[in-house]
C-alpha cells in the first residue's frame, strides 16, 4: 500500500538551515519561494499553519560575507539579530507575492515554563491562526543563552517545533531536513542503507543509529529530530521527517503519498522495519 491516511488541519512545519542555505553559504531563494507558495496554497484551503524556521545565523553569515560561524556568544547573537531581520524580509517578500499574511514570533523556553506567559503566547497563536495569518517562529537567539540563571534555550529548533506543536495542539509536525527520512544506518556512509517508512517506538538503539550532529550552518542532527519525534509519540501526535529540498513535498505528504518517515503510534501504518531494531554499522 503506497498511501497514508493523513488527517491534519493544524500543522507545524519546521524547516532547517540546510534547506534555506546552499552549501556555499548563499541563501537558497528557490526554497524560500517554494515554501511560501506551498504554505500559502494550504492556507487558502483553510489549513492552520505555523512555520518554525531556522536560519537566522546562516542568513546573517551570508549577509555579513562571513564563511565561519564565530565562537563567541555575543558575536553569534549579533549575527542572529542581523540574520533574523533578513530572514523575515525574505519571507515577507515571498509570502506577499502569494497574497498571504505572516507574523514573526520569537520565543524563549521561559515563555512555556510560566503559565501566564504561556497563556499570552497561546492567545497570540490562536488569534493569528483565526485571522489566517501564518506565524513564523524562531528562538530569540539574541537573549537565549545557557549562561543565564534560568532555562531560556530550546537547544535547537527541532525541539522548539515539537514544543510548539504540543502547546498549540497541532495534528501533525512536518520536519524538513537535508535527508529523506530516518534510515536503518547512516546513508552517507553505507550505500545499502534503507529508509524506514514508519516508526512506532523510539528506544535507546534508535538513538544509537541516529549518529552525530548537523551541518556547519545548523545545530540539529538526527538525534534532535528523534527527540522531537519522541515527544510527538508520547503525546499521541504524528510527525513526518522528509527532505526539504523542494518544500512542495508538503503537498504530497498531505495528499497521503508515502514520503519520508512517519512517526506514529498508529499500528495500521506499521512496516516490518519499525517492529525490529535497526541494523547498526560503525
Amino acid at each position: 500500500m503506497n498511501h497514508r491516511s493523513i488527517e491534519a488541519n493544524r500543522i507545524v512545519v519546521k524547516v532547517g538551515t540546510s534547506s534555506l542555505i546552499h552549501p556555499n553559504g548563499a541563501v537558497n531563494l528557490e526554497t524560500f519561494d517554494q515554501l511560501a507558495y506551498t504554505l500559502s496554497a494550504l492556507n487558502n484551503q483553510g489549513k492552520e499553519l505555523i512555520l518554525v524556521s531556522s536560519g537566522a545565523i546562516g542568513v546573517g553569515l551570508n549577509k555579513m560575507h562571513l564563511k565561519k560561524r564565530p565562537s563567541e556568544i555575543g558575536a553569534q547573537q549579533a549575527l542572529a539579530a542581523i540574520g533574523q531581520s533578513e530572514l523575515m524580509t525574505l519571507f515577507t517578500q515571498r509570502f506577499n507575492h502569494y497574497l498571504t499574511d505572516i507574523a514573526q514570533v520569537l520565543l524563549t523556553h521561559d515563555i512555556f515554563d510560566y503559565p501566564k506567559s504561556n497563556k499570552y503566547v497561546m492567545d497570540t497563536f490562536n488569534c493569528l491562526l483565526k485571522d489566517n495569518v501564518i506565524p513564523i517562529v524562531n528562538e530569540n537567539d539574541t537573549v537565549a543563552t545557557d549562561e543565564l540563571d534560568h532555562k531560556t534555550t530550546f537547544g535547537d529548533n527541532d525541539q522548539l517545533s515539537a514544543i510548539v506543536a504540543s502547546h498549540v495542539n497541532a495534528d501533525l509536525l512536518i520536519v524538513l531536513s537535508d535527508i529523506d527520512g530516518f534510515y536503518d544506518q547512516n546513508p552517507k556512509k553505507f550505500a545499502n542503507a534503507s529508509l524506514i517508512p514508519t516508526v512506532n517506538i523510539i528506544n535507546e538503539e534508535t538513538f544509537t543509529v541516529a549518529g552525530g550532529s548537523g551541518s556547519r550552518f545548523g545545530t540539529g542532527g538526527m538525534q534532535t529530530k528523534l527527540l522531537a519525534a519522541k515527544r510527538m509519540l508520547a503525546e499521541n501526535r504524528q510527525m513526518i521527517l522528509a527532505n526539504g529540498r523542494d518544500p512542495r513535498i508538503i503537498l504530497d505528504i498531505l495528499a497521503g503519498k508515502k514520503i519520508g518517515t512517519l512517526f506514529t503510534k498508529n499500528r495500521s501504518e506499521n512496516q516490518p522495519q519499525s517492529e525490529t531494531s535497526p541494523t547498526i554499522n560503525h
Side-chain angles (χ1 to χ4, degrees), residues 229-247:
K230 186 175 182 180
R231 184 183 185 105
M232 293 293 95
L233 289 180
E235 298 180 1
N236 202 24
R237 304 181 195 279
Q238 294 185 326
M239 174 181 136
I240 290 179
L241 173 62
N243 199 309
R245 186 185 305 109
D246 183 347

Side-chain angles (χ1 to χ4, degrees), residues 85-155:
S85 175
E86 186 73 5
L87 192 68
M88 288 305 298
T89 296
L90 290 165
F91 277 129
T92 299
Q93 290 172 345
R94 298 324 303 152
F95 276 98
N96 278 346
H97 180 72
Y98 296 109
L99 306 177
T100 301
D101 295 322
I102 62 172
Q104 175 179 258
V105 180
L106 296 178
L107 300 173
T108 60
H109 208 296
D110 299 61
I111 289 171
F112 296 111
D113 290 339
Y114 295 100
K116 184 176 287 189
S117 60
N118 180 62
K119 179 184 182 302
Y120 288 152
V121 77
M122 288 304 105
D123 287 345
T124 300
F125 275 122
N126 287 324
C127 286
L128 291 170
L129 295 174
K130 181 181 177 181
D131 291 336
N132 296 319
V133 178
I134 298 178
I136 297 184
V137 179
N138 200 352
E139 183 167 6
N140 192 346
D141 290 322
T142 59
V143 300
T145 73
D146 291 326
E147 294 186 349
L148 299 181
D149 292 334
H150 45 280
K151 187 175 182 181
T152 57
T153 63
F154 298 96

Side-chain angles (χ1 to χ4, degrees), residues 69-80:
R69 183 181 180 128
S71 58
E72 300 84 0
I73 291 177
Q76 290 185 27
Q77 290 175 308
L79 273 178

Side-chain angles (χ1 to χ4, degrees), residues 14 16-23 25 54-55 58 61 69 158 177-178 188 212-222 224-225:
K14 186 267 177 175
T17 303
S18 60
S19 298
L20 298 174
I21 305 293
H22 288 297
S54 300
L61 286 168
R69 183 181 180 128
D158 294 323
S177 184
D178 58 355
K188 295 179 180 179
S213 61
S215 71
R216 66 189 178 102
F217 298 109
T219 57
M222 188 57 68
T224 64
K225 289 162 182 57

